[in-house]
Amino acid sequence: MPIVSLVLFVVFAALGFGWRSWRQRRRTGSTGFRGISGRPLSPEWFAGVGFVVAMAAAVFAPILQLAGMVAPLEVLDRPWLNVIGIVLAVVGIGATLYAQFDMGDSWRIGVDASETTTLIRSGVFGRVRNPIFTAMMIFGFGIALVTPNLVAVVGFALLVATIEAQVRVVEEPYLLATHGDSYRDYLAAVGRFVPGVGREM
């Protein structure tokens, strides 16, 4: 299972980050990477750094398990859970790419406060405000089930926490400042990560 986990992560990184940034550069002249927001030790900075650490945990969890340095958590170490994890990871990869496609040229990693992007409300963004992050959490949960050791579980918890922070502390304030009433209407109509959940009246 650790090898499967690593292969899934490589596919996710190659398509969701590598291929997508290459395609973005060809279309717009920019890779879409905006880096980590905020000054060091600020909430925005912690959100960005935490996300990087969570991604690193997803890589090191299977490596450490292969090396015998960590063992799977017994309660989660079940073949049927491993299979569910593989399915969820594959779904997460596909959903990430689908949402990135719907975002078009407005796709970014990180926020540049001086930049104005189009507010996307069509496609999957008409049902969920942050479908890429939703897909990434599905992928992360799947990976944690494929190699369910302590590093993987902690990494997934950190992924969820940092995505929440990135959305609430960095992206939503930026979009509100940039798009004003249009974004307020969007907040009231569409759920944050799940359809109908997290709307803000």
Side-chain angles (χ1 to χ4, degrees), residues 119 121 179-187:
L119 179 61
R121 298 186 61 171
H179 298 286
D181 288 340
S182 294
Y183 189 65
R184 286 188 185 90
D185 292 343
Y186 188 43
L187 288 173

Side-chain angles (χ1 to χ4, degrees), residues 18-40:
W19 174 80
R20 189 60 181 86
S21 62
W22 172 82
R23 184 174 184 269
Q24 186 78 0
R25 184 174 178 82
R26 286 198 65 184
R27 289 175 60 88
T28 68
S30 168
T31 62
F33 282 87
R34 297 296 178 264
I36 296 171
S37 302
R39 67 186 185 283

Side-chain angles (χ1 to χ4, degrees), residues 20-177:
R20 189 60 181 86
S21 62
W22 172 82
R23 184 174 184 269
Q24 186 78 0
R25 184 174 178 82
R26 286 198 65 184
R27 289 175 60 88
T28 68
S30 168
T31 62
F33 282 87
R34 297 296 178 264
I36 296 171
S37 302
R39 67 186 185 283
L41 305 182
S42 67
E44 297 88 349
W45 182 86
F46 274 115
V49 170
F51 181 80
V52 172
V53 173
M55 290 290 101
V59 174
F60 282 106
I63 292 173
L64 293 172
Q65 191 168 312
L66 276 172
M69 299 177 70
V70 295
L73 299 171
E74 187 175 345
V75 68
L76 297 175
D77 190 22
R78 303 285 187 270
W80 63 274
L81 282 177
N82 298 150
V83 171
I84 288 174
I86 292 169
V87 171
L88 287 174
V90 171
V91 168
I93 292 169
T96 298
L97 295 174
Y98 185 88
Q100 287 176 339
F101 178 80
D102 267 4
M103 198 170 189
D105 292 346
S106 292
W107 177 78
R108 301 287 187 276
I109 295 177
V111 168
D112 179 351
S114 66
E115 184 177 39
T116 300
T117 57
T118 303
L119 179 61
I120 306 298
R121 298 186 61 171
S122 59
V124 69
F125 287 86
R127 298 186 59 80
V128 179
R129 297 200 307 269
N130 301 283
I132 296 173
F133 283 140
T134 300
M136 292 180 74
M137 287 189 281
I138 292 170
F139 172 79
F141 183 53
I143 287 293
L145 289 178
V146 176
T147 50
N149 57 55
L150 185 60
V151 175
V153 171
V154 170
F156 173 66
L158 182 60
L159 176 67
V160 172
T162 54
I163 284 176
E164 284 278 2
Q166 176 70 18
V167 167
R168 294 171 185 266
V169 176
V170 179
E171 299 196 2
E172 288 183 349
Y174 160 75
L175 290 168
L176 191 56

